[in-house]
Amino acid sequence: MIPSEIIKQKRNGNEISHAQIKDFINGYLSEEIPEYQMSALLMAIFFNGMTESEISALVDVMLNSGERMDFTHHSNYVADKHSTGGVGDKVSIILGPLLAAAGIAIPMLSGRSLGHTGGTLDKLETIPGFKVNINLDDFRKQVDSIGIAMIGQTEDICPADRRMYALRDVTGTIESIPLISGSIMSKKIAEGISGLVLDIKTGNGAFMKNIDDAHILGDTLTKIGNAFNINTDVVYTSMNQPLGKTAGLWCEVRESIDGLKGNGPDDTMQVTFELGAKLILQAGLSKTQSEAIALQNELISNGKAYEKFIEMVEYQGGNPQDIENYNQLHQPKLSKSLKSEESGYIQSMDTYKIGLATIELGCGRKKTTDMVDPTAGIQFYKKIGDKVNRDDTLLKFFNSNNSKLVPAEVLLKESIQIGGKKVEHKLFLD
Ligand code: URA
């Protein structure tokens, strides 16, 4: 195998074979193929796409780069949710424990921040002591005993995605339907699940900017899920503004804890319940959508979802006391407000720029070795359709590094448009 020949073949828009994809990815994992050649192949795929058979080969090779979990012994329905990536999207942190409390086993493999979007792993790691890289035996035992574990790709499970995901993050090769499909579905199939619900984020802060592309991605993911006997449901939700009232690291964990305690923001809870209902119906725990939503509301109001979260935190090395005192943790040293310069209504939010601002603040990486700042984030006081008066606070942004506050401010100042008419924001798309 000559790596540059495979790169050229893909660069020229020709199909590459299953064997070539396998040799290339395995060569990359064994360090025979350097990062620069994998970067070049990713860019060739980004520009030329992949055929259906190339995508299924990619999923197969990425999946088989590590172990595959088996939960056939589990008496509960085993399932998971995954989002294609957004800003302020903390739904996994609320929905995982909520579904586990409902009696669905959740062996969740998540990712770190990707491009301008936030990553569940980076958020969870702000919980002091919380481990996201536990070994597979412990992962399996934890799911068996408490019904949920949330970890990342490791050397044992999905190592190909672990490396390629981090490389895509810093090489401008994220927004590719084949690469997103390989990344998401290799992780989900490796979990050994029977059911899956996918939140396909759509809009100016998502990787899919319009509903047509979102449908192509949704159909591709569903086809792969079905081919592996996974009941796969898809929900399309707007990413034309951040989800919830915060975007960042610890601030999103805090907002998730609020959600688990019954005080979550409306949009976040609506998306959580819609996705949760799909899996509750798949599992046969409720007969109708409204029953499935009532069940989730009950598990929040009786404290069971929050208790499950605490149980998971403790199992994965965190201290429940830190969660109880969640308002005192990770206080940012610096904070600034963005005020409105006019009166009117919020017309639109440039969610991509807001996501870039979170990276500038320290929530994401510009190169793979960058450290994130747990205190960093944004709090939104106004969203699309809200009335604003001159001098009202639109948002606050915060972190613990002054030099990062300035470039974030430049982006945030350009991210909110105000005008005279009241506009509606549609959360669910068809
Ligand atoms: N989520 C993933 O796990 N991978 C992607 O490529 C995009 C979103």
Side-chain angles (χ1 to χ4, degrees), residues 233-245:
D233 277 311
V234 167
V235 175
Y236 297 92
T237 65
S238 169
M239 198 21 76
N240 280 324
Q241 66 177 2
L243 192 66
K245 293 189 173 151

Side-chain angles (χ1 to χ4, degrees), residues 98-118:
L98 173 57
L99 289 173
I104 298 179
I106 308 284
M108 191 183 285
L109 282 179
S110 303
R112 297 195 174 279
S113 307
L114 190 62
H116 66 286
T117 68

Side-chain angles (χ1 to χ4, degrees), residues 334-403:
L334 305 152
S335 142
K336 253 184 135 173
S337 297
L338 182 70
K339 304 254 185 202
S340 176
E341 290 176 357
E342 56 195 305
S343 297
Y345 295 92
I346 307 282
Q347 304 292 300
S348 61
M349 296 177 86
D350 187 333
T351 318
Y352 179 65
K353 275 202 182 134
I354 294 170
L356 293 181
T358 65
I359 302 183
E360 292 290 2
L361 286 168
C363 306
R365 298 170 186 78
K366 295 185 184 178
K367 52 185 188 317
T368 48
T369 48
D370 282 351
M371 302 286 284
V372 294
D373 171 357
T375 69
I378 305 171
Q379 170 104 32
F380 304 97
Y381 292 90
K382 302 282 179 188
K383 294 184 59 182
I384 294 176
D386 286 349
K387 182 157 180 31
V388 290
N389 294 315
R390 198 185 149 86
D391 274 342
D392 276 356
T393 300
L394 299 173
L395 55 85
K396 271 194 185 143
F397 52 107
F398 36 85
N399 71 2
S400 297
N401 180 339
N402 196 29
S403 65

Side-chain angles (χ1 to χ4, degrees), residues 82-85 109-111 114 117 153 161 165 168 174 176 179-181 183-184 187 207:
H82 201 87
S83 156
T84 56
L109 282 179
S110 303
L114 190 62
T117 68
Q153 317 94 319
D161 186 52
Y165 188 97
R168 285 169 59 217
I174 300 169
S176 149
L179 296 177
I180 295 174
S181 303
S183 167
I184 293 181
K187 285 195 285 289
F207 298 129

